[in-house]
Amino acid sequence: MRNDSDHDPSGAEPGRPPHTAPLLPIEARRAAAWCAVGLLVATVVALGIWLCVELSAAVTPVLLALLGSALLGPMYRRLVAMRFNRSLAAGLTCAVLVVVVGGAGYVVVSALVDTGDQIIASLKDAATDLSRRFGVAGNSLTDLASHAKTLVTKFGSTAASGVLAGVSIVGQFIAAAVLALLLTFFFLRDADKAVRALHDWAPGDSAPRLERMARRGFQSIEGFMRGTTFIALIDALCITVGLVILDVPGAFGLGALVFVGAYIPYLGAFISGAVAILVAFADRGVVIALWALAVVVAVQVLEGHVLQPMIQSRTVQMHPAVVMLAITAGASVAGILGMLLSVPLTAAASGVLHELRRHYAAGSDRDSSGPEDTGGDSPAAPASS
């Protein structure tokens, strides 16, 4: 007969191994799990970026078409509301896109070409003046300006030695532009088919949630494109008028540079404004340069405190640090094109994450309200068949 003394003092039953304490505390195991999740997400993102770079010939037209359809999407919807055929409405919208982009490109390029030599000469004079006033820093600018012609000559000779490569690049650019235009047409016309396909392919009852996420991301891109274009136009007009009043040479070219630079938030405005101030300093002296600085700062204050809160605050809500990191990452991946595309794509990702956070917050609210809370107005409740 067994007594109580036969039992293991640790409390384990006979024939079963004693209970051992885990090697790591629960906090360390949770941290390790989160690190594993972070590494998995980083690996997936890195793989996606690598695939986009490798397939840039196909990805770039898709992204450009997405931006174009986001910019002129309201016009297409208005035409459809006026009972235009979808194909006709998409075709008219694409025609307007060609006219707008082509006209803006012609104005910007012609303004930069007409005043480009004057702007470069003024920058060289500004570098010379700064070298006399500030020594080493100015000498660096002078060397850069002095060797600019040599660099351009070397680049030109390299380009001339590879004429076939240049023709190939031009051909690729034209093909990408045509493909982007065709994709814009299909994105506009077949948006409802894409929604139906999403509902057909979505697993389980996740289709409504995925549709809300997609719509929120596209609305963020729409808000960024429309808001940035409107802000860029106002900035360019204000700075051009200010430079014309100050009689700064190349005012229209500098205004065109401000318009293009506005699509790269913060960094583009800083570079274009600095160029305008240096040109004013070289041709009109310190006083006019200070007035040009006042014009640039006033326009930036107007943009930061009036235009952006009024235009973009409801659609694009990103911290400036996030924007700067996105621009830096885009530049490291795809150069200038990456800088231009990084911010709208980050805005779309931010919109999708915001929709996810709202969905899970609503789910936690429903869980905490108890099983008896079955209101039919819940946005995440699937429709009954």
Side-chain angles (χ1 to χ4, degrees), residues 7 34 108 110 150-151 158 160 201 210 273 280 283 330 336-337 377:
H7 289 282
W34 279 111
V108 170
S110 61
T150 304
L151 293 175
T158 304
W201 295 344
L210 292 177
D283 285 88
I336 296 178
L337 183 62
D377 296 334

Side-chain angles (χ1 to χ4, degrees), residues 222-244:
E222 277 189 338
F224 174 82
M225 289 301 297
R226 294 201 306 268
T228 301
T229 302
F230 187 65
I231 291 173
L233 183 61
I234 293 178
D235 288 354
L237 288 176
C238 293
I239 291 181
T240 301
V241 170
L243 296 179
V244 168

Side-chain angles (χ1 to χ4, degrees), residues 45-178:
V45 171
L47 180 61
I49 294 175
W50 178 79
L51 287 176
C52 290
V53 172
E54 291 296 322
L55 302 176
S56 59
V59 173
T60 302
V62 172
L63 296 178
L64 293 178
L66 189 63
L67 297 182
S69 58
L71 181 62
L72 294 179
M75 176 184 174
Y76 168 77
R77 291 191 290 269
R78 185 178 296 273
L79 290 176
V80 172
M82 296 170 60
R83 300 186 181 280
F84 276 79
N85 180 270
R86 288 184 175 271
S87 298
L88 179 59
L92 292 176
T93 305
C94 290
V96 172
L97 179 64
V98 171
V99 172
V100 170
V101 174
Y106 174 78
V107 171
V108 170
V109 171
S110 61
L112 291 176
V113 168
D114 292 341
T115 59
D117 294 336
Q118 192 174 15
I119 293 175
I120 293 175
S122 299
L123 290 176
K124 188 173 181 180
D125 293 339
T128 304
D129 293 339
L130 290 175
S131 66
R132 288 198 297 265
R133 295 173 183 267
F134 299 102
V136 177
N139 287 329
S140 300
L141 292 174
T142 304
D143 294 337
L144 179 62
S146 299
H147 291 86
K149 186 175 182 180
T150 304
L151 293 175
V152 172
T153 304
K154 290 182 179 180
F155 177 78
S157 62
T158 304
S161 62
V163 176
L164 293 179
V167 172
S168 176
I169 292 174
V170 172
Q172 291 177 4
F173 176 78
I174 295 175
V178 173

Side-chain angles (χ1 to χ4, degrees), residues 286-297:
V286 178
V287 177
I288 299 300
L290 291 177
W291 277 107
L293 174 62
V295 170
V296 172
V297 170

Side-chain angles (χ1 to χ4, degrees), residues 2-378:
R2 299 177 57 187
N3 53 24
D4 295 340
S5 60
D6 295 334
H7 289 282
D8 191 348
S10 62
E13 297 180 3
R16 183 173 298 179
H19 177 70
T20 58
L23 296 176
L24 294 175
I26 186 63
E27 292 80 6
R29 284 181 286 168
R30 287 176 179 175
W34 279 111
C35 289
V37 171
L39 288 175
L40 179 61
V41 172
T43 302
V44 173
V45 171
L47 180 61
I49 294 175
W50 178 79
L51 287 176
C52 290
V53 172
E54 291 296 322
L55 302 176
S56 59
V59 173
T60 302
V62 172
L63 296 178
L64 293 178
L66 189 63
L67 297 182
S69 58
L71 181 62
L72 294 179
M75 176 184 174
Y76 168 77
R77 291 191 290 269
R78 185 178 296 273
L79 290 176
V80 172
M82 296 170 60
R83 300 186 181 280
F84 276 79
N85 180 270
R86 288 184 175 271
S87 298
L88 179 59
L92 292 176
T93 305
C94 290
V96 172
L97 179 64
V98 171
V99 172
V100 170
V101 174
Y106 174 78
V107 171
V108 170
V109 171
S110 61
L112 291 176
V113 168
D114 292 341
T115 59
D117 294 336
Q118 192 174 15
I119 293 175
I120 293 175
S122 299
L123 290 176
K124 188 173 181 180
D125 293 339
T128 304
D129 293 339
L130 290 175
S131 66
R132 288 198 297 265
R133 295 173 183 267
F134 299 102
V136 177
N139 287 329
S140 300
L141 292 174
T142 304
D143 294 337
L144 179 62
S146 299
H147 291 86
K149 186 175 182 180
T150 304
L151 293 175
V152 172
T153 304
K154 290 182 179 180
F155 177 78
S157 62
T158 304
S161 62
V163 176
L164 293 179
V167 172
S168 176
I169 292 174
V170 172
Q172 291 177 4
F173 176 78
I174 295 175
V178 173
L179 180 58
L181 184 63
L182 292 175
L183 289 175
T184 302
F185 173 83
F186 290 120
F187 285 174
L188 291 172
R189 190 193 67 176
D190 299 332
D192 55 337
K193 295 181 181 179
V195 173
R196 289 198 297 268
L198 178 63
H199 280 264
D200 293 337
W201 295 344
D205 58 351
S206 62
R209 181 167 68 252
L210 292 177
E211 181 183 352
R212 288 195 300 269
M213 291 167 56
R215 289 185 183 277
R216 182 58 185 266
F218 189 74
Q219 286 172 2
S220 298
I221 297 178
E222 277 189 338
F224 174 82
M225 289 301 297
R226 294 201 306 268
T228 301
T229 302
F230 187 65
I231 291 173
L233 183 61
I234 293 178
D235 288 354
L237 288 176
C238 293
I239 291 181
T240 301
V241 170
L243 296 179
V244 168
I245 293 175
L246 295 175
D247 197 18
V248 175
F252 292 99
L254 293 171
L257 185 63
V258 170
F259 179 80
V260 175
Y263 284 93
I264 304 177
Y266 305 113
L267 184 61
F270 173 77
I271 294 176
S272 58
V275 170
I277 294 168
L278 287 175
V279 171
F281 171 74
D283 285 88
R284 300 300 311 279
V286 178
V287 177
I288 299 300
L290 291 177
W291 277 107
L293 174 62
V295 170
V296 172
V297 170
V299 171
Q300 294 304 317
V301 169
L302 175 67
E303 174 186 342
H305 292 81
V306 178
L307 297 179
Q308 285 191 352
M310 289 177 57
I311 297 172
Q312 289 188 338
S313 61
R314 297 182 179 179
T315 54
V316 182
Q317 297 177 352
M318 292 187 297
H319 194 274
V322 176
V323 175
M324 294 301 296
L325 289 175
I327 293 173
T328 304
S332 63
V333 172
I336 296 178
L337 183 62
M339 296 171 69
L340 293 173
L341 296 176
S342 60
V343 180
L345 294 180
T346 305
S350 176
V352 171
L353 291 177
H354 178 80
E355 186 63 34
L356 271 176
R357 185 173 66 250
R358 191 175 69 173
H359 167 74
Y360 284 113
S364 63
D365 291 341
R366 286 195 303 271
D367 293 340
S368 62
S369 62
E372 68 275 3
D373 185 9
T374 57
D377 296 334
S378 174

